[in-house]
Every structure is written in C-alpha cells, then in structure tokens.
Amino acid sequence: MKRWQYEPAADLDQTLIERLRNFPRQPDMFVYGLRSLVALIIRGLLRTYCRFEIIGEENLRNNRSFVLVANHSSHLDTVCLLAGLPLRRLHRAFPAAAADYFFKSVPRTWIATVIVNALPFARQTHVRHSLAICAELLANAGNVLIIFPEGTRSKTGQLQEFKPGIGALVAGRDVAVLPCYLDGAFRAWPKGKRIPRPRKVRLIIGAPLNFGAVLPDKNSNTMIASELRAAVQRLAQQHAGR
C-alpha cells in the first residue's frame, strides 16, 4: 500500500496579495462559496435595478470550452457576461482583465480575483505570455474565457476597433467564439461615473463562430478581429430599438 503523504498548498507561505495575483490559482472552497454568494446577489440586483435581459441564452448551452467576445463600455460588462452563464460554470469562467489596472492596488486585486475570477492580462508588455495562458485555459474542456477585444472601455459607447490579439488566440484553434453585444451598459454606468444608474441592460449572445481552419498569421489575426467586430455590430443593429 502506498504511504500517504501530506502536501501543503503551493501558495501556503505566500502573502495574501501574492496569492491573489497568482494565476492559475489554488482551489479555495471559501472563495468559491463567497464568489457564488456574491454572484447570486449581483444577478438579483441586475434583474431589479437594471431590468437585465439575456437574448440568445441557448448559444451558451455548451459543455466545451468557448470564448465570449463583447463590446466594452462599462464596468457592468463583465458582471453581465458572468451573469449570463450557468452558475455551475462560474468558477471556470475567466474574464481577461487589464493587469495594469485591476492588479495594482489590494482592493481592486481582491475584487478581480475573489469576486470576478479575473485573469491578469498584460496589455502593454508580455502580451504573448498572456495569450499563451488564455490558450492553456481553452485547451481544458469546460473553461470559459471572456475577452473585450477593444482593449479598454469606450468613452462614447461606440464600438471601437478590435485588436488582432483575439485573432492570434483563436486562429487555427478548434474553439467556439461567441460574439456578444451589451446594450444599455454604457447608459447605466459610463466611464467616469462613480455608481451605476437604473437603466435597462441587455446581453445579446450571437451564434458561435469557429476559426479552426484559418492559418494563424498576421493577416489572419487582423481578419478575424474585423470579422468578430462585424458580428458584434450586426447584433447591435439587429436588436436596435427593441
């Protein structure tokens, strides 16, 4: 019989902020419970305060790994996309968050890791390393990656250009990419405002796309980014005024 040996968690001797900034993170049942509780509260607040509505929810019924790609104009965007997922997938969903913004101060780092389960993404340097981490996540069945290809929140609410990094991530990879459009999030909580306002918010989820047959190169990356932006734009146009 093999002798049992106790092995403490790898991050046991690290400080709280060091453990929070680590990725991938060690499982923590307390964090899982707290994240689930806060998610239920947020979903309830979205339904009542923002009259949150999900259109195209059937496109999320997939046990494989997939990518959610959406426009970005508000801090509500991430919580709305997480609220669109089944609760059972909450701890396997990873929003890519700017490392230079969300992982600098202790309060932001705590919210980003414990509540949102964010993946620290380097926007200026080490971009390839961040993309490699994203690719590893997608290689494991059941993970959900949330990406805002604009890179930062729109100051006007208008859809900006998508950066080619999203193309580099999904080109040649057999993974579903779901374009999403967040309608009303900018009106509810635009950049520069301290608290959200009671405005209706809708999450519109499009049919999945797949770029597994596309050879990954610079031109393909740009093409995929443009195609995904056009898909998000079509969702906005199809549901305008509804």
Side-chain angles (χ1 to χ4, degrees):
M1 181 182 293
K2 188 176 181 180
R3 190 174 180 181
W4 179 81
Q5 183 177 355
Y6 170 71
E7 295 183 3
D11 60 357
L12 188 63
D13 60 344
Q14 296 180 348
T15 64
L16 174 61
I17 192 64
E18 287 174 333
R19 291 201 301 271
L20 290 175
R21 286 174 177 163
N22 282 343
F23 196 91
R25 305 180 184 98
Q26 296 293 323
D28 188 318
M29 295 311 296
F30 172 75
V31 170
Y32 285 3
L34 180 60
R35 184 182 296 144
S36 298
L37 175 61
V38 173
L40 287 172
I41 294 172
I42 289 175
R43 292 176 187 214
L45 289 173
L46 284 173
R47 295 285 184 184
T48 55
Y49 191 74
C50 295
R51 292 171 289 154
F52 183 55
E53 179 185 6
I54 304 172
I55 300 171
E57 193 172 6
E58 65 278 4
N59 292 316
L60 294 175
R61 294 170 188 163
N62 183 349
N63 291 324
R64 298 181 63 191
S65 292
F66 58 84
V67 184
L68 294 179
V69 170
N71 58 311
H72 194 25
S73 62
S74 171
H75 278 322
L76 284 176
D77 297 340
T78 298
V79 295
C80 286
L81 287 165
L82 289 172
L85 294 170
L87 198 60
R88 62 182 173 79
R89 302 197 74 166
L90 184 65
H91 310 297
R92 302 286 300 275
F94 303 92
D100 58 325
Y101 181 85
F102 288 100
F103 291 86
K104 288 299 183 182
S105 68
V106 174
R108 285 180 182 172
T109 300
W110 190 88
I111 292 172
T113 57
V114 176
I115 305 303
V116 180
N117 198 28
L119 179 160
F121 194 96
R123 294 186 294 184
Q124 307 300 330
T125 59
H126 308 297
V127 176
R128 289 186 179 180
H129 176 68
S130 296
L131 289 173
I133 293 175
C134 292
E136 289 179 18
L137 287 175
L138 294 174
N140 295 319
N143 286 336
V144 179
L145 186 62
I146 297 174
I147 292 184
F148 301 105
E150 293 165 280
T152 189
R153 285 173 293 162
S154 169
K155 294 180 180 180
T156 63
Q158 298 299 311
L159 189 63
Q160 305 172 96
E161 293 300 317
F162 280 15
K163 298 185 182 300
I166 182 61
L169 176 63
V170 301
R173 184 167 282 111
D174 183 21
V175 61
V177 186
L178 278 64
C180 303
Y181 180 70
L182 287 151
D183 176 42
F186 178 76
R187 294 188 296 273
W189 199 0
K191 191 172 184 177
K193 297 296 182 181
R194 295 182 64 86
I195 57 175
R197 298 172 290 188
R199 303 288 190 275
K200 181 174 178 58
V201 178
R202 295 186 301 169
L203 168 59
I204 304 160
I205 305 164
L209 303 173
N210 190 298
F211 301 95
V214 179
L215 294 176
D217 58 37
K218 189 173 181 179
N219 291 333
S220 296
N221 297 343
T222 302
M223 179 272 293
I224 291 172
S226 297
E227 186 171 335
L228 286 171
R229 183 186 183 277
V232 173
Q233 186 71 61
R234 282 195 298 272
L235 291 175
Q237 294 170 346
Q238 289 167 5
H239 295 270
R242 295 187 184 181

